[in-house]
């Protein structure tokens, strides 16, 4: 029997609260308290994704797994202990804000450890050969978090915590992180900036978040020079632009690096109806990018591929993007059809836009000798 895809989930992750906000604006002054979910990084995007998998029958055909929270030792491989102390103290005291745009509530320290624990367990199980591949529905997300500072809704660096645990346990050498969240994966970049063994690639909307943006020229430093790659895309880009960037840069760069494991930082906020970005991807874009990653993983790392959830703020639409990714990972097709696909497809950028973006991607590829 072929090994199934594992899906790592814990309801606790959905109990992390980001306090009272309207989208990303703290309530008060001119900002009216919201009527609904409030903060953009709400549990509903993730809960509805998992619920759609349950209703479609997809969950029942996967290995549904829980995981223990990441340990203090796991966290300290990546994070400054003083940051962890500060985060825990604030969490114990009822929550607050100890970084940039990363509010949290009571108990979020323990919940963030669970979020990291799901990513860690997913990587561990795939490296142990238990599953063909895995998806971790981690929340809070991780890719903006620095070693010593919370940022952009991210409180712990879930993927680096998972990678460092795997390195400690399995002695795995070369790992690639492909970040297709629409925002720049600055946290992962900064943690690995001087490391040659973890190749970090971020595909994102140019200059969207965070401020103090880091772009294509930032290729790593010291021993890590060349092991960091940013592929900024122009606002408005959609399916064709994403796939061109994947085929022209991301896939050949991965082929050259020859990873033993690929981890995807999978935000779904490049979709066309996300409130926090201006790209026009749809569920088939995420499905196709998953296929591309599976093909590289098959060629170089025995199929070892782990996808970890990051951003994505359109409650109605994230579930269809996530569902497509897990369908593709598992090779299982359900009856679910994306009800927004036609609406987004007719609004894709023109050939003029595409040619412009393609030229920029070609320039980047040439600079990389790809
Ligand atoms: Zn994002």
């Amino acid at each position: 029997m072929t090994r199934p895809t594992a899906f790592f989930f814990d309801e606790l992750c959905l109990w992390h609260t980001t306090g009272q906000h309207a989208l990303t604006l703290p309530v008060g002054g001119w900002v009216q308290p919201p009527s609904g979910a409030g903060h953009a990084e709400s549990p509903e995007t993730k809960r509805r994704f998992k619920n759609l998998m349950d209703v479609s029958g997809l969950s029942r055909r996967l290995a549904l797994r829980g995981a223990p929270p990441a340990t203090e030792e796991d966290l300290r491989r990546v994070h400054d202990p003083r940051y962890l102390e500060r985060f825990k103290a604030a969490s114990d005291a009822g929550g607050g804000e100890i970084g940039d745009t990363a509010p949290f509530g009571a108990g979020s320290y323990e919940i963030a450890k669970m979020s990291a624990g799901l990513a860690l367990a997913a990587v561990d199980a795939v490296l142990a050969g238990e599953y063909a591949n895995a998806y971790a529905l981690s929340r809070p997300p991780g890719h903006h978090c620095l070693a010593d500072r919370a940022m952009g809704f991210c409180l712990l660096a879930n993927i680096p915590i998972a990678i460092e645990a795997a390195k400690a346990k399995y002695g795995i050498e070369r790992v690639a992180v492909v970040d297709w969240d629409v925002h720049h994966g600055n946290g992962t970049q900064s943690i690995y900036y001087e490391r040659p063994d973890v190749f970090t690639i971020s595909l994102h909307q140019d200059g969207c978040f965070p401020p103090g943006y880091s772009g294509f020229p930032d290729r790593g430093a010291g021993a890590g020079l060349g092991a960091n790659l940013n592929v900024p895309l122009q606002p408005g880009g959609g399916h064709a632009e994403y796939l061109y960037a994947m085929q022209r840069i991301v896939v050949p760069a991965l082929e050259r690096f020859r990873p033993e494991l690929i981890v995807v930082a999978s935000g779904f906020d490049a979709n066309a109806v996300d409130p926090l970005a201006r790209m026009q991807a749809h569920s088939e874009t995420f499905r196709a990018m998953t296929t591309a990653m599976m093909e590289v993983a098959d060629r170089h790392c025995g199929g070892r591929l782990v996808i970890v959830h990051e951003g994505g703020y359109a409650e109605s639409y994230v579930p269809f993007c996530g569902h497509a990714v897990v369908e593709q990972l598992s090779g299982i097709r359900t009856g679910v059809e994306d009800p927004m696909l036609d609406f987004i497809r007719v609004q894709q950028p023109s050939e003029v836009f595409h040619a412009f973006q393609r030229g920029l991607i070609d320039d980047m590829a040439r600079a990389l000798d790809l």
Side-chain angles (χ1 to χ4, degrees):
M1 189 185 147
T2 55
R3 293 169 302 158
T5 290
F7 190 89
F8 287 81
F9 172 77
D10 195 297
E11 174 65 23
L12 180 65
C13 287
L14 307 188
W15 292 22
H16 161 61
T17 173
T18 40
Q20 215 188 16
H21 291 69
L23 198 59
T24 58
L25 310 175
V27 166
W30 303 111
V31 181
Q32 181 186 323
S35 59
H39 195 283
E41 205 291 286
S42 87
E44 286 309 298
T45 41
K46 294 83 185 171
R47 184 174 277 131
R48 290 171 66 110
F49 168 23
K50 169 66 165 47
N51 286 347
L52 180 62
M53 288 188 8
D54 291 350
V55 170
S56 74
L58 183 56
S59 305
R60 293 193 288 280
R61 300 171 68 185
L62 307 173
L64 267 189
R65 289 279 310 268
T71 65
E72 293 293 324
E73 185 187 5
D74 294 327
L75 269 46
R76 283 196 297 265
R77 289 192 195 96
V78 171
H79 288 286
D80 182 337
R82 287 163 299 184
Y83 166 68
L84 297 173
E85 279 166 28
R86 228 172 42 248
F87 177 16
K88 181 166 189 332
S91 168
D92 288 349
E97 167 77 82
I98 55 164
D100 303 318
T101 334
F104 58 90
S108 282
Y109 185 72
E110 284 70 30
I111 301 175
K113 285 168 74 171
M114 175 57 77
S115 181
L118 295 176
L120 192 160
V123 167
D124 184 81
V126 166
L127 288 179
E130 291 177 54
Y131 305 107
N133 47 42
Y135 193 102
L137 187 48
S138 293
R139 175 179 185 267
H143 76 144
H144 294 306
C145 189
L146 308 176
D148 61 357
R149 191 164 178 80
M151 198 167 170
F153 318 155
C154 298
L155 296 160
L156 292 175
N158 298 330
I159 289 175
I161 289 167
I163 290 172
E164 294 311 307
K167 281 177 165 284
K169 181 171 173 182
Y170 295 97
I172 186 167
E173 294 277 330
R174 303 168 73 78
V175 180
V177 180
V178 177
D179 187 325
W180 66 47
D181 186 286
V182 78
H183 305 107
H184 178 227
N186 65 297
T188 322
Q189 166 177 293
S190 100
I191 287 164
Y192 288 117
Y193 206 62
E194 298 186 17
R195 290 260 301 265
D197 56 326
V198 179
F199 184 25
T200 48
I201 305 177
S202 178
L203 191 63
H204 49 258
Q205 179 182 323
D206 193 14
C208 184
F209 185 88
Y213 174 69
S214 165
F216 180 74
D218 297 310
R219 298 296 327 282
L225 187 61
N228 185 74
L229 176 53
N230 289 312
V231 186
L233 301 175
Q234 295 306 297
H239 184 79
E241 287 73 30
Y242 267 91
L243 290 200
Y244 191 73
M246 289 296 277
Q247 287 153 11
R248 186 75 178 87
I249 296 181
V250 178
V251 168
L254 285 171
E255 302 271 359
R256 192 157 71 183
F257 180 72
R258 291 176 291 103
E260 297 163 75
L261 166 73
I262 299 173
V263 183
V264 174
S266 177
F268 295 112
D269 35 14
N271 82 63
V273 292
D274 195 277
L276 299 188
R278 291 295 172 268
M279 303 303 274
Q280 304 197 66
H282 48 60
S283 60
E284 290 303 312
T285 315
F286 293 102
R287 189 190 299 277
M289 292 199 292
T290 303
T291 305
M293 292 302 95
M294 291 173 76
E295 288 171 357
V296 178
D298 279 343
R299 283 197 292 275
H300 292 285
C301 30
R304 288 194 290 267
L305 174 64
V306 174
I307 302 195
V308 179
H309 200 93
E310 295 284 354
Y313 307 103
E315 282 183 23
S316 56
Y317 195 54
V318 163
F320 293 98
C321 298
H323 195 274
V325 165
V326 179
E327 275 191 343
Q328 200 61 25
L329 264 186
S330 62
I332 298 166
R333 286 305 279 259
T334 68
V336 170
E337 289 181 17
D338 174 354
M340 211 170 252
L341 192 53
D342 291 343
F343 174 76
I344 298 175
R345 273 183 171 152
V346 297
Q347 300 179 77
Q348 288 297 295
S350 65
E351 182 48 41
V352 174
F353 180 96
H354 184 57
F356 171 66
Q357 177 66 84
R358 204 166 51 218
L360 296 178
I361 291 170
D362 286 339
D363 288 346
M364 287 186 261
R366 274 192 290 273
L368 296 164
D369 287 324
L370 293 171

